Amino acid sequence: MTASPRFTRRTITDQVTEDLRARILAGDFPAGFQLRQDAIAGEYNVSRIPVREALQRLDAEGLVSFQPHKGAIVAQLSLDEIEELFEVRKLLECELLRHAIPRMTPADLKSVEDILMVYDESFRAGDVGKWGELNREFHDRLYQPSNRPKTLEIIRMIGNNTVRFAQAQLALSGETDRAEREHHQIFEACKAGNVDEAVGLLAAHIENSAKSLMNCLRTARQ
């Protein structure tokens, strides 16, 4: 395990939760990995109480599950469950984008463009560890103007369950060029205010991502 981070703000539970979430999403803890409370508490130099509370929060997000005789483990998803999450993503995200585009300000578009530039740089640098989080941030900034906070919250939770798989898929499939191209096409349609085109491109993007991911996972699990 990595060295204990320095905690300076927020509650200890918040900080342990954030750090564990980031490590799960980055793939440091693979699916099925047992998260022992005493070991985590020792690593962060905290009591087991905030660790237990952090794991319970991650359980609510779907990243961790509690099993008899094992305790907390990194959640494992079946192929059918992953496919279902992408179907829900397409329905909700397309609806969010449809609401967001008419409300996008120049500042909103600049924010999306800025994260897209960082995303492009990470692809060129081959910085796999950042792809999943940057992808989530790109989509999140697209949808924020929608003024649909509850739907956004659901999308973020679904993202927590798929980002670790999608990140690995991009690295293994070699489809970073396609993903990057599709992101730029979606952004340009948003910038032009073309709602139907942008929503259509987003739907195709999510479908392509799901198909590529499912193919990779089926191969890996065989």
Side-chain angles (χ1 to χ4, degrees):
M1 290 188 175
T2 57
S4 172
R6 294 192 176 187
F7 294 152
T8 56
R9 298 180 181 176
R10 304 180 305 282
T11 69
I12 294 175
T13 299
D14 289 340
Q15 294 169 79
V16 173
T17 303
E18 290 172 12
D19 196 67
L20 288 176
R21 182 191 296 116
R23 294 167 73 179
I24 291 171
L25 296 180
D28 293 347
F29 301 134
F33 183 86
Q34 187 175 4
L35 298 164
R36 294 179 54 243
Q37 294 184 27
D38 53 350
I40 295 171
E43 177 183 359
Y44 292 136
N45 194 27
V46 298
S47 74
R48 293 180 60 177
I49 294 174
V51 174
R52 182 171 63 251
E53 292 173 348
L55 292 174
Q56 288 170 345
R57 290 185 186 182
L58 296 174
D59 176 38
E61 294 179 11
L63 288 177
V64 166
S65 64
F66 287 89
Q67 295 189 359
H69 311 301
K70 284 189 176 181
I73 66 167
V74 177
Q76 302 186 72
L77 295 175
S78 69
L79 295 179
D80 287 342
E81 287 171 331
I82 295 170
E83 193 167 33
E84 180 184 354
L85 288 176
F86 272 91
E87 290 173 359
V88 175
R89 268 193 60 193
K90 185 173 73 169
L91 289 170
L92 295 182
E93 292 187 35
C94 286
E95 187 65 16
L96 281 176
L97 188 61
R98 191 174 294 279
H99 283 282
I101 292 174
R103 297 174 171 84
M104 285 182 176
T105 66
D108 292 326
L109 290 169
K110 180 65 166 56
S111 176
V112 175
E113 188 173 29
D114 286 346
I115 197 64
L116 194 54
M117 290 175 61
V118 177
Y119 197 13
D120 291 345
E121 291 170 1
S122 76
F123 275 149
R124 287 192 290 270
D127 194 353
V128 179
K130 293 182 179 179
W131 291 351
E133 185 57 36
L134 289 171
N135 179 69
R136 280 207 309 161
E137 183 66 22
F138 168 74
H139 284 270
D140 194 76
R141 293 189 188 190
L142 277 179
Y143 311 144
Q144 281 179 5
S146 68
N147 194 28
R148 295 289 191 279
K150 292 300 183 183
T151 309
L152 268 171
E153 186 177 336
I154 295 170
I155 288 298
R156 286 165 182 158
M157 186 176 295
I158 293 173
N160 282 345
N161 280 276
T162 58
V163 66
R164 53 198 164 114
F165 298 110
Q167 183 169 291
Q169 171 259 318
L170 281 172
L172 293 171
S173 68
E175 294 194 10
T176 55
D177 290 343
R178 176 190 59 76
E180 187 177 17
R181 182 177 64 255
E182 290 175 354
H183 281 170
H184 280 275
Q185 290 171 343
I186 293 167
F187 173 68
E188 290 300 324
C190 291
K191 190 163 64 171
N194 193 327
V195 176
D196 289 339
E197 181 183 357
V199 170
L201 288 167
L202 175 62
H205 171 64
I206 295 174
E207 289 171 1
N208 289 337
S209 298
K211 182 179 178 180
S212 179
L213 173 59
M214 296 304 293
N215 287 338
C216 285
L217 289 176
R218 285 192 182 99
T219 300
R221 295 186 181 189
Q222 287 173 356

